[in-house]
Amino acid sequence: MVVLSSISRGVEPAAGRSGRRPMPHPMDHVLAAVPVFWLAIFFLAPLGFTVVFSFGHATFGGVEPGFTFDNYRMALSGFYGATFARTLVFALSASGLCLVAAFPVAYFIARHTQRRRNLAIGLILIPYFSSFLIRVMSLQMLMSRGGVAEAVLNALRWHQGPLDVLDTQTAVFIGMVYAYLPIAIVPLYVVLDRIPGPLLEASRDLGASRWRTFLFVTLPLSRPGIATAALLTAVPMLGEMVIPKLLGGSRGVLMGQAIAAQYLQAQNYPLGSAMAVLVLVLVAILVTVLARLTKGFAEVGR
Amino acid sequence: MTVFPVRSDAWRQRVTNTALMLWYGAAVLFLFAPIVAGIGYSFNLGVVNKQTATLTGWTLQWYPAAWYDLSLRRAVEASLEVALWSALIAVAIGSALGYAIVRHPHPLVRRGLTGLTYMLLIVPESVVGVSVLLFYAVTHIPFDTATLIAGITPMAIAVVALIVRARVLTLDRRVEEAAADLGSTRIKTLWFIILPQMAPAIATAGLMAYTFSFDNLVVSAFLTTPQINTFPVYLYGSLQYGPAPTVYAAASIVFLFTLLMLGGAALLYRLRRRRNAAMAVL
C-alpha cells in the first residue's frame, strides 16, 4: 500500500529544509552506486541484450549478430501481429473494467468508513498477499465444469445446465480483473482520501447536486489516481502469461505466452526479443500518455 | 419533490450509500472466493488421486500427504531459501536506493534513480524473465540457486526502495543537522540517527520483499531447472498433469503462514506506535 500510494503521490524531494544543498559526501555516492551497479548487471544489461538480439539474425537455436528488421516484421504480421493487437485491446479493456469496478470500492472506503477504515482496506489487500498462482488455480477450479460457480449459478437460476466459461476469452477477462482489482483500488483510494472534505461541501453550498459535485469536483481531482491505477493494471496485463494459460487454454494466447514460447520451445531468440521490445515500446507509450494526464496535478490535496 | 427537497435528498443519499456498501461487499466476496475455494478444495476427496472441480467428499488426508511429499517439500524449502536471500539483498540494496532517491545531493542523480526504480516496477515480468534467461545464456553462466536469486531481486529492490523512500521523505532533517552541529560525522549520523528511524519501514519492506519473492512465478519459471524448483514453479508445472490434491493443502498452509506473519507484523507496528504515542504524551 505504501508502495502504491507513493507512486500516485509523486512528490519531488525537497533539497533541504534550510535551502542550501548539503555538502556531497563519499557515502552519498556509495549509497547511489551500489544499487545502480547491481541493477545494471541484473536488470539493465539483460534488457540491453534483448534489444540487441531483436535486431539479430536467427539461426537454428542460436543468433548471429547483425542489423535487420526482419524479426519486427515477423512479430507484427500474421499470427504474432494478431496476438499483439489482441493483447493490447485486452489489456486496455480489462484495465478499464478494473478501474470501473474499483472506483466505487475506493470511494466507499475513502468516504464511508471512519473507524474501520484499516479493516476495510485490509480486506482488499489480504487476497493480494496470498499466492497469485493459487488464486488463479482456484479460480480455474471454480469456473470449470461441475464446479462451484456452475452450482451457484444454477441454484440462483441465472444459468441452466453446465457452465462452459473456462478456456474462453471471457474467463481470461474475469481472471485479469480479479487479479488486478486490489492494485487498482489502492491508488484510487489514496487520491480520493486526499480530496479535502470542505471542497466538496463548498460545491454543495454553491448549489451543485451530489452527482454534479462528483462529476465536476471529485472525478477531475482523482485523475492522478486513475492514471496510476490504469498504469499499474494495464502494464502487467500486457505481459501476463499465467492467467491466459490457466483460464484461456489454447484460445486465449496473449503476448506474454507467445514471447515465452519463442524462448522455451521454438528457441527463436531474435523473434522473442523483438516481441519483448515491442511490449516495452507499448509500455513506454502508455506511460507517456498517462503522465500527460496527471501533468500539473502533483500538488493536489497533498 | 420540490415540496420536500431535504427529505428526498436524504433518501437518495441513503440509497447511494447502500449501493456503495453492497458493491464493496461484492468486491470483497469476489476477491476472497478463490481463496476460500482453495482452502475448501484442500479438504476435498477428489477422484483417484486427482483433485476435481466437483466436491466428492471430505477428507483430511491431503495434509499429511503434502507433508510427506518429498518433491513438494523440496520445492517449499527451495522457495524459503530463495525468498530469504532475495529479501536480504533487497533490504540492503533497496534501502540504499530509497535513501539515495531522496537525499542524494545532485538532483539529476535523484531523478535518474527515481526513473530506474519506476522502470523496475513497470517492465512486465515476462519481459524481465526472458531477458534474464537470455543474459545468462549469452554469458554462459550456469543456472543455480544464486542466478535465480539474482534474477528475482530487481522487483524486490523496487518494493523496498519505494517503502523506504516514503519514510525518508518524512524524516526531520533538523535532527541530523543538530547531530552534525554536535560533531557527528555523516557516517555516524547515518548509523545512529537515520537508520534507527528507518528501521520499522525497512522491516516492513523486508517482509513484503520476502512475500513477493516467495510468490514469484514468472521470472522464476524462466530460471529454474529440474534441480532447483521453487514452490510456485513446481505448482505451475504440476498443473500439466491436473492439479494434485496435495497442492491445495500445501497452499493453504503457506497462506495461513503468510497471514500470520503479516498479522504479527501489523500487531508489532501498532504496539510500537502506541508506545511511541505514550512517550510523546509524557
Side-chain angles (χ1 to χ4, degrees), chain A residues 1 12 37 88 92 103 109 117-118 153 159 167 175 192 199 202 208 226 229 256 261 268-269 279 281 286:
Chain A
M1 188 177 148
E12 261 300 301
F37 185 71
L88 180 63
L92 291 181
F103 204 94
I109 300 172
R117 176 161 301 185
N118 283 338
L153 287 179
H159 184 84
D167 293 340
L192 284 173
L199 206 63
I226 295 173
N268 190 343
Y269 286 7
V279 168
V281 170
L286 260 178

Side-chain angles (χ1 to χ4, degrees), chain A residues 123-135:
Chain A
L123 282 177
I124 299 293
L125 285 175
I126 287 172
Y128 186 61
F129 279 105
S130 73
S131 168
F132 168 77
L133 179 59
I134 300 290
R135 280 182 291 144

